Amino acid sequence: MIAILLAILIFFLFLEFNRLLSRRSWKKKVKEYIHGKFGAVPKEKEWNDKVT
């Protein structure tokens, strides 16, 4: 009984770890795409200097 619960727990931990890794790589790909299309986000100081 304990072995089954442990196996289920390990399975769900593996799924959660896999989900986090895929989400991180997805965010990285989106960030690279935006950077490639529009350039880098200006630093806050640069942004304020250009606006005012």
Side-chain angles (χ1 to χ4, degrees):
M1 181 69 174
I2 294 176
I4 294 171
L5 292 175
L6 186 59
I8 292 170
L9 178 65
I10 291 172
F11 177 72
F12 282 114
L13 287 175
F14 173 75
L15 289 178
E16 184 65 21
F17 182 72
N18 193 19
R19 185 183 66 86
L20 288 174
L21 285 180
S22 66
R23 185 175 184 195
R24 185 176 295 164
S25 66
W26 178 81
K27 281 184 174 182
K28 184 178 179 183
K29 288 178 186 177
V30 169
K31 193 174 186 179
E32 288 173 356
Y33 172 78
I34 292 171
H35 180 73
K37 288 286 186 178
F38 303 104
V41 176
K43 301 289 184 211
E44 189 172 334
K45 184 178 180 185
E46 294 172 359
W47 175 259
N48 288 337
D49 290 344
K50 291 179 182 178
V51 171
T52 57

